[in-house]
Amino acid sequence: MIQTLAQLKDYIKAGAAKISADLVVENGTLVNVMTTEFYQADIAIYKEKIVAVGNVEAYIGDKTKHIDATGKYITPGLIDGHIHVECSKMSMTSFANAVVPFGTTSVVSGLDETVAVAGLEGVQEVFKEIEGLPLNLFWGAPYKTPYTIPQSTIAFNIDADVQETIQKWTECYGVWETVREAIETQDEDTLKTLVHAQNNHLPIFGCAPMATGVKLNEYLASGIRLDHESYGHEELVEKARNGMNVLIRESSVTHFLAENIRAVTEVNPAIARHVSFCTDDVTATDILEKGHLDNLVKLAIQAGVEPITAIQMATINSAEAYRIDDQVGSVSPGRLADILIVDQPGSFNVELVISRGQVVAENKEILKPLVAPVRSDLFKGKLKHELTSANDFEYKVTEKAGMATVQTINSQGAFVRKRKDVDLIINDGVVQPSPEKDVALVSVLERFGKNGNQSLGFTSGWGLKKGAMASSSAPDDNNIVVMGVSANDMSIATNKLIEAGGGQIVVIDGEVISFLALPVGGIMSDLSPRKIEAGEIALRKGTDLMGSELPDPMFYMSFLPITAIPDLAITDLGMVDCVALKIVDPIIQIMPLKG
């Protein structure tokens, strides 16, 4: 965080008790995450920072405010070590309204979805937005955008030349989401970015699911510092033993904590000191129902982790992993005054939140609702794609009648996609989706006005019986993704998103069943978390009517363009073999009608 020389001098004076504290927290028990102990200590705060811990009598003046924490425990504010805030569909302001009451005061994010839709100017606007919020943003510059291989279409591409500039921004704390495939293939642009980072003494944040053995060693040799993608606890243990800081992810769609925490509870409790938490992708519904990082602390404790260890995993461990422990992660002089008052460590109910020296939330409620800034043209307006017709969502082949064997993207979970071959009827030159065989059509439409691309493919495993659903919130490129068994409904859904400037929608038999507008860049909303939750619930009811029994079909569908998830994906370029990293034809063979 930037400070002036005058501010620094004032903080030093305040530390010397030559300037009275603005606020003291008294009579509480400090959870010292640095020394792993509990003891009575008072906290003195001047402006945004802690200036004294322990006996603070010398720091109290006539205007000093007091908070009595008798019978309570004092912990640092919580840190989400890896999150795509935009995937929550909440703007940064709305997101802060949601998570701060649960004790989250810092997030590490690449704002990569913002880069995809609004470029670096959009990122700068988010930096300005965060200045007025009780939430710290530690930004890692995405190693490149888009992440898709082959490269799909987005609003702005980050490459090594761009990295050379943005790594020098004061807001930049590292390189974000460096995927293993880029190291394995020795992608020259990525390697140049890593050289820039190492020369700038910036940590490199990784993404390496299922990396073990030689593949892990190859990855670590590039200088990667940490990783947030371990599918099993053995994988996490191997990464930790090989010097990685590792994050346990518990998102709205991938629930890895129960498995990964076994590294601590069953293998070696000492591993916990290099393990922290992240949520990666979360929904408003989940946050309001379960909490945020505080929920992960509770889950870890329930799994058998000592409370103080779980608190360390949500605070200092993450701060040290990302090299931001000089600013956050502990209740210590010189750090930002991000402080929680909780009932007790074992139950970890957050009762009061202090952010940058101000009381901002109490009893899970934000004290003063945060108001989003007026959005610039970068973040508003219609999506840039021509309106569609039903004809655009028909997979046409040269044969007028017969059968087509197609490879479908078979969903076996949000991050498990396998190939499943299915025979479909060709009628009047169109390969027909089949609700009976659980096969739907899927399409991705480029929406930044660059080339007008549209791809078509097939999916299975969704259980769709009728209608269509569409989303313009779809990492990694945030083009329009639409899926359905009715070409007409797919067109209606797509056109609604284009004209509304983005959103998520369910259409059945020509009727809009549910629609959540996402007018901020086509991926986010400034609505309150409660209103976004209501929209998510309505969308889930709509996908229920379509016939899907998946936990969150809309969220699952939004991940289909991610080419880092094996085995298949679809972008505006077409269907992607995520292992071979190339575009493939969904049609395997055509069998003409015999006669």
Side-chain angles (χ1 to χ4, degrees):
M1 304 300 171
I2 302 171
Q3 68 177 354
T4 65
L5 177 61
Q7 289 171 329
L8 177 58
K9 288 180 176 179
D10 280 349
Y11 279 123
I12 293 171
K13 290 177 183 177
K18 294 177 181 178
I19 299 177
S20 297
D22 296 317
L23 176 68
V24 294
V25 180
E26 301 168 305
N27 307 316
T29 299
L30 176 65
V31 179
N32 193 319
V33 295
M34 301 294 291
T35 58
T36 318
E37 58 184 332
F38 304 101
Y39 55 87
Q40 196 282 323
D42 298 338
I43 318 296
I45 298 167
Y46 174 71
K47 293 187 177 178
E48 294 188 344
K49 293 188 177 182
I50 298 164
V51 293
V53 178
N55 184 337
V56 301
E57 290 181 7
Y59 295 83
I60 298 173
D62 294 339
K63 296 182 180 179
T64 302
K65 296 179 181 178
H66 298 255
I67 293 176
D68 184 7
T70 299
K72 309 296 181 182
Y73 288 77
I74 301 166
T75 82
L78 308 181
I79 304 168
D80 191 330
H82 183 97
I83 183 166
H84 303 262
V85 172
E86 306 97 322
C87 289
S88 71
K89 302 183 292 295
M90 293 181 280
S91 67
M92 192 64 73
T93 299
S94 181
F95 182 78
N97 273 317
V99 302
V100 170
F102 292 102
T104 301
T105 54
S106 296
V107 296
V108 180
S109 182
L111 301 180
D112 41 2
E113 315 306 332
T114 295
V115 173
V117 302
L120 296 180
E121 290 179 76
V123 170
Q124 290 286 353
E125 289 194 18
V126 176
F127 289 161
K128 292 179 183 178
E129 180 179 0
I130 203 79
E131 288 175 3
L133 301 178
L135 184 68
N136 306 309
L137 169 65
F138 295 96
W139 182 64
Y143 86 98
K144 73 184 323 182
T145 58
Y147 304 141
T148 47
I149 305 173
Q151 184 172 289
S152 57
T153 310
I154 60 173
F156 183 84
N157 295 347
I158 290 179
D159 58 17
D161 291 338
V162 175
Q163 282 279 351
E164 190 171 11
T165 298
I166 62 180
Q167 285 186 22
K168 293 180 172 62
W169 289 3
T170 56
E171 297 92 347
C172 184
Y173 285 86
V175 176
W176 166 271
E177 197 85 78
T178 310
V179 301
R180 186 178 62 80
E181 293 81 4
I183 306 303
E184 184 178 26
T185 59
Q186 293 206 16
D187 175 68
E188 186 138 338
D189 191 76
T190 299
L191 298 187
K192 287 179 180 178
T193 288
L194 300 195
V195 170
H196 291 324
Q198 290 160 359
N199 291 340
N200 291 322
H201 308 291
L202 289 174
I204 302 166
F205 317 153
C207 175
M210 298 179 284
T212 59
V214 172
K215 290 187 180 295
L216 177 60
N217 294 333
E218 174 188 52
Y219 190 59
L220 290 171
S222 70
I224 304 292
R225 179 176 175 81
L226 52 85
D227 176 63
H228 70 283
E229 292 257 14
S230 294
Y231 282 26
H233 75 279
E234 298 96 339
E235 178 186 344
L236 187 148
V237 169
E238 183 176 351
K239 288 173 177 174
R241 286 174 173 169
N242 280 279
M244 288 193 103
N245 292 278
V246 285
L247 286 76
I248 292 177
R249 175 173 66 184
E250 182 73 9
S251 77
S252 289
V253 291
T254 50
H255 305 287
F256 287 172
L257 189 143
E259 166 59 25
N260 283 182
I261 206 70
R262 294 172 62 194
V264 176
T265 59
E266 297 179 16
V267 179
N268 181 2
I271 287 176
R273 195 60 183 84
H274 299 285
V275 176
S276 50
F277 293 137
C278 74
T279 62
D280 206 354
D281 305 293
V282 289
T283 62
T285 301
D286 267 7
I287 293 170
L288 295 177
E289 287 182 359
K290 301 174 184 177
H292 191 227
L293 264 289
D294 60 319
N295 181 50
L296 274 66
V297 172
K298 293 174 184 178
L299 290 174
I301 293 170
Q302 291 166 14
V305 176
E306 288 294 324
I308 195 166
T309 301
I311 294 168
Q312 287 174 318
M313 293 166 77
T315 56
I316 189 61
N317 293 9
S318 194
E320 290 180 350
Y322 285 98
R323 298 181 185 167
I324 54 176
D325 52 304
D326 60 323
Q327 299 180 61
V328 295
S330 66
V331 179
S332 309
R335 275 52 165 203
L336 289 172
D338 295 342
I339 295 170
L340 311 182
I341 295 178
V342 304
D343 59 345
Q344 57 178 327
S347 52
F348 205 75
N349 291 309
V350 177
E351 297 183 356
L352 188 134
V353 180
I354 298 170
S355 174
R356 299 180 197 167
Q358 301 294 316
V359 178
V360 294
E362 191 168 5
N363 297 322
K364 307 292 191 302
E365 295 290 338
I366 202 88
L367 295 182
K368 184 180 179 181
L370 309 169
V371 179
V374 175
R375 299 297 174 187
S376 75
D377 290 342
L378 276 173
F379 284 104
K380 60 186 181 182
K382 290 184 178 182
L383 305 186
K384 297 175 182 178
H385 191 96
E386 295 294 325
L387 294 180
T388 67
S389 67
N391 186 57
D392 294 316
F393 299 98
E394 295 179 344
Y395 202 107
K396 298 178 179 65
V397 292
T398 55
E399 293 294 334
K400 288 296 182 182
M403 299 292 292
T405 302
V406 305
Q407 54 177 318
T408 71
I409 304 171
N410 182 247
S411 176
Q412 300 175 13
F415 293 105
V416 180
R417 302 196 296 249
K418 300 295 182 180
R419 170 175 166 172
K420 181 180 179 181
D421 296 349
V422 181
D423 290 337
L424 298 177
I425 293 172
I426 301 170
N427 184 18
D428 198 21
V430 175
V431 180
Q432 302 295 318
S434 174
E436 295 76 21
K437 294 185 177 181
D438 190 18
V439 176
L441 190 78
V442 63
S443 179
V444 178
L445 298 90
E446 184 272 326
R447 57 91 156 187
F448 302 106
K450 290 196 168 186
N451 52 39
N453 283 350
Q454 180 185 357
S455 63
L456 293 172
F458 299 93
T459 62
S460 58
W462 299 79
L464 304 186
K465 306 301 182 190
K466 54 185 175 181
M469 58 181 174
S471 175
S472 58
S473 169
D476 289 320
D477 49 28
N478 294 292
N479 285 309
I480 300 170
V481 183
V482 55
M483 181 192 301
V485 294
S486 162
N488 187 56
D489 287 345
M490 292 176 74
S491 176
I492 292 170
T494 300
N495 291 344
K496 175 69 173 178
L497 297 191
I498 291 170
E499 294 184 315
Q504 294 185 328
I505 188 169
V506 173
V507 176
I508 298 175
D509 296 332
E511 180 185 353
V512 175
I513 302 301
S514 51
F515 172 63
L516 173 60
L518 300 175
V520 183
I523 58 175
M524 297 174 286
S525 171
D526 285 323
L527 291 175
S528 71
R530 284 292 176 197
K531 289 183 178 179
I532 294 173
E533 177 194 34
E536 290 173 347
I537 292 170
L539 287 167
R540 186 65 186 90
K541 290 179 179 177
T543 55
D544 286 347
L545 292 174
M546 291 178 69
S548 181
E549 296 181 358
L550 292 177
D552 192 339
M554 189 70 72
F555 215 6
Y556 280 27
M557 182 188 69
S558 75
F559 294 134
L560 284 176
I562 300 177
T563 60
I565 301 173
D567 291 336
L568 296 167
I570 184 167
T571 71
D572 67 302
L573 302 181
M575 190 171 173
V576 180
D577 181 328
C578 302
V579 178
L581 300 176
K582 65 180 184 179
I583 303 297
V584 295
D585 190 340
I587 304 294
I588 299 170
Q589 66 173 335
I590 299 291
M591 296 164 283
L593 187 66
K594 294 180 180 180

